[in-house]
Every structure is written in C-alpha cells, then in structure tokens.
Amino acid sequence: MTTTPTPVDRPTVSGSHERWTLLYDADCGFCKLIVSGVLACDRYNRLVPRALQSAQAHALLSDLSPEDRLASVRLISPDGERFSAGSVSAPLLRLLPAGTIPARGIARLPRLTSRVYDWVANHRSQLSSAVPTTVKRRASAQVNRAEVERAGSP
C-alpha cells in the first residue's frame, strides 16, 4: 500500500535557500522565547520570523479576519502552503537539524499535538511568568534581530 507523502515526509534539502515564514504574536513574551529557541536551532536560516501584527503578515493572511489572523502561530511554506496552531509543529521540526524523526512522530498524532498547542496557548501568561524578564528581553532582541537580518538575505 502506498501513501501520499505528507508535508513532513517530503524530502527537504538542508542547505536549501527556500525560506519559510514563521508568524508569531509579538505581544507575547513566551511566544518570542519559543521563536528565539527555534531560530537558534535553525542553522541554515530557513525561517524568517514575522510578527502576526506586521504589514507582511497582514498581506500573507489578507483573506483572514483580524481576529483569525492573530488566533495562532502560523508557518507558511515557500510555495504558500499554510500551517497553523498545532499543525505547525511537524513541518517546523522537519526544517531543523535532527528534527525529522520527532516530526514524523508528531505528524502521526495530530489530535494530541493540537491539544498540547491549545493548552500551551491558553496558559502562555502563566508559563511566561516562570521565565525571568531578562531572558524574555534577550529572546525578544534575538527575534527582532533575526527579522531584520533574514528579511533581506536569500
């Protein structure tokens, strides 16, 4: 029996210059902390972070209402395929070094992944309070710097 490959099973080239856009909530310190960690693992600079509140995000998600636009994290592939909320996890991991195996596992558990995402999203304020302010500030600066640096490079 053959199956159609899912986005996470499709081959990727580690050195590829194709850029994926990662849209995150710029008003959420916890969100920036997570994005900062992801970007630190993205040694091939395949991800371009953008705030959901930015003009670029507005253009990319122009078919959505403002509320829907801000509803969750988004990952947009170079060909325009969109992932949101929990469905971001598997393709995002696939882009990172050593992320293929965890991505395959996560892709096979979409309901669990969605529930975990929803729980974290609903408790991000409480989770954020456990992180020192200096750490959140540093993460925010790293994400802001990556937005500028990765926006103009191929």
Side-chain angles (χ1 to χ4, degrees):
M1 176 171 117
T2 59
T3 59
T4 305
T6 63
V8 88
D9 293 326
R10 291 181 195 144
T12 60
V13 179
S14 296
S16 172
H17 290 290
E18 289 188 314
R19 293 298 184 89
W20 292 61
T21 303
L22 181 61
L23 302 175
Y24 66 94
D25 183 353
D27 295 332
C28 170
F30 185 73
C31 302
K32 280 189 164 185
L33 179 68
I34 298 302
V35 170
S36 174
V38 167
L39 293 174
C41 295
D42 179 26
R43 68 173 91 129
Y44 300 111
N45 293 338
R46 296 183 70 197
L47 295 166
V48 177
R50 293 275 180 239
L52 281 164
Q53 297 86 344
S54 71
Q56 296 93 341
H58 180 75
L60 290 167
L61 305 174
S62 62
D63 59 314
L64 300 178
S65 71
E67 298 81 29
D68 288 341
R69 235 179 271 140
L70 295 171
S72 68
V73 66
R74 311 246 179 210
L75 182 66
I76 303 174
S77 74
D79 65 1
E81 186 174 7
R82 292 183 194 169
F83 304 89
S84 63
S87 71
V88 165
S89 303
L92 180 61
L93 283 169
R94 180 82 165 124
L95 295 170
L96 303 175
T100 302
I101 292 171
R104 285 187 180 152
I106 286 173
R108 285 168 175 70
L109 301 168
R111 285 194 346 217
L112 178 61
T113 303
S114 179
R115 286 183 183 158
V116 169
Y117 176 86
D118 291 344
W119 186 88
V120 170
N122 291 329
H123 294 87
R124 62 188 181 172
S125 293
Q126 295 94 323
L127 293 168
S128 184
S129 67
V131 179
T133 303
T134 55
V135 172
K136 288 185 278 192
R137 263 195 229 121
R138 193 175 324 122
S140 181
Q142 289 167 340
V143 172
N144 293 340
R145 190 170 38 257
E147 276 196 56
V148 172
E149 290 172 356
R150 295 182 184 196
S153 57

